[in-house]
Amino acid sequence: MTRIAIVEDDPIYSAQLRRYLDQYEQESGEKFVTVCFSDGMELVEHYRADYDILLLDIEMPGLDGMTAAERIRRVDREVVIIFITNMSQYAIQGYAVEALDYVLKPVSYYSFTQCIQRAMDRMRKRTKQFHSVSTGKGETRKLELSHIYFVEVQGHTLIYHTTEGEITSSGVMNEVEQALQGRFFRCNKGYLVNLEHVDSIHGDLVTVGGQQLQVSRAKKKPLLDALNNYINEVSK
């Protein structure tokens, strides 16, 4: 499922882009979840880093599309940005925010689908995997899974121990465990460890990212099995 945001102040163009996406879904077999915003400020104020593609009109009253893209890039480096514009000279500015492409108005179905196909191809070529974390005040960050050492729970607070330091979020450990299954393992009630970063298991302790964490007695053998399965899968 691909999440797409349409940011367009003209309701006629917004409706047209949505129709194009519906038609492309039927023709390609892709599945989209589409959300529409009427201007750049509405997008930025409600932005969560869980969109895959942004279709951004550049010329909008208030916060224009280019400025909105600059702000979004501060919190989301992975979302694919496609500009919708009347003027081709904006394409050069798009490099500053790593835009994939731009479509000129009036938008033809053919040119639009070519851009969407390129966006889908770029997404499929990514080898990185991410986990979205709400850090409070409506802000969401995408954490690269390989940068997370382990997740710790203290009451209703989740602490992500990462290569960039500690990142705090509110949430439920069971939900995080479910989202990260296969690569992470719950070694006791308080810790969810990234198998990629397990350095050693000795007695009732597992060393992850240089820190020693307690392994419950019931979890020791399942942890060893999960680690062996992970190593075998990675080495294929």
Side-chain angles (χ1 to χ4, degrees):
M1 191 75 72
T2 302
R3 288 180 55 83
I4 300 178
I6 297 173
V7 191
E8 170 63 69
D9 64 309
D10 187 328
I12 295 176
Y13 272 117
S14 182
Q16 181 189 54
L17 295 177
R18 191 147 199 169
R19 286 197 306 272
Y20 283 174
L21 288 171
D22 290 342
Q23 183 177 342
Y24 186 76
E25 269 190 306
Q26 296 175 9
E27 294 175 354
S28 66
E30 302 285 356
K31 297 297 181 183
F32 300 139
V33 174
T34 306
V35 180
C36 295
F37 297 91
S38 59
D39 58 58
M41 185 57 71
E42 184 184 7
L43 172 72
V44 170
E45 288 181 342
H46 299 91
Y47 190 77
R48 295 176 61 86
D50 55 5
Y51 291 106
D52 300 299
I53 300 172
L54 298 183
L55 301 174
L56 265 174
D57 182 22
I58 290 183
E59 297 173 278
M60 294 183 290
L63 191 69
D64 64 85
M66 191 65 68
T67 304
E70 291 171 354
R71 294 191 185 181
I72 286 167
R73 276 291 182 241
R74 297 172 191 168
V75 296
D76 190 350
R77 303 300 306 179
E78 297 300 318
V79 65
V80 177
I81 296 175
I82 298 174
F83 284 123
I84 313 294
T85 179
N86 285 312
M87 307 177 75
S88 59
Q89 65 261 33
Y90 283 120
I92 297 175
Q93 293 178 252
Y95 287 115
V97 292
E98 301 174 39
L100 171 69
D101 216 332
Y102 71 96
V103 182
L104 283 176
K105 293 180 179 180
V107 181
S108 73
Y109 179 68
Y110 176 78
S111 62
F112 178 77
T113 57
Q114 292 299 297
C115 282
I116 293 297
Q117 186 58 58
R118 282 193 288 272
M120 301 299 292
D121 290 343
R122 174 177 286 190
M123 289 166 52
R124 292 191 179 99
K125 288 177 181 177
R126 290 175 180 161
T127 57
K128 297 178 181 179
Q129 293 178 292
F130 295 86
H131 177 61
S132 294
V133 174
S134 176
T135 58
K137 298 181 180 179
E139 182 180 283
T140 303
R141 288 186 60 178
K142 280 183 179 175
L143 302 182
E144 188 175 339
L145 295 191
S146 62
H147 291 176
I148 303 172
Y149 294 126
F150 62 93
V151 185
E152 178 183 1
V153 62
Q154 294 183 5
H156 297 291
T157 301
L158 297 173
I159 305 170
Y160 291 80
H161 296 260
T162 77
T163 57
E164 302 172 12
E166 295 181 2
I167 297 171
T168 303
S169 173
S170 60
V172 179
M173 181 67 102
N174 287 342
E175 294 178 358
V176 178
E177 181 182 11
Q178 183 67 27
L180 301 180
Q181 62 181 338
R183 185 167 182 168
F184 286 69
F185 186 86
R186 187 88 168 264
C187 64
N188 64 33
K189 291 183 179 179
Y191 298 107
L192 181 69
V193 302
N194 188 343
L195 296 172
E196 178 184 349
H197 291 292
V198 171
D199 299 317
S200 66
I201 301 174
H202 184 71
D204 294 330
L205 296 175
V206 56
T207 303
V208 186
Q211 297 193 52
Q212 290 187 325
L213 307 177
Q214 191 74 34
V215 181
S216 68
R217 183 175 300 178
K219 291 288 188 176
K220 185 174 180 180
K221 185 179 184 305
L223 172 59
L224 288 168
D225 291 340
L227 183 60
N228 285 331
N229 290 338
Y230 174 77
I231 293 172
N232 291 335
E233 189 65 29
V234 170
S235 60
K236 284 182 179 179

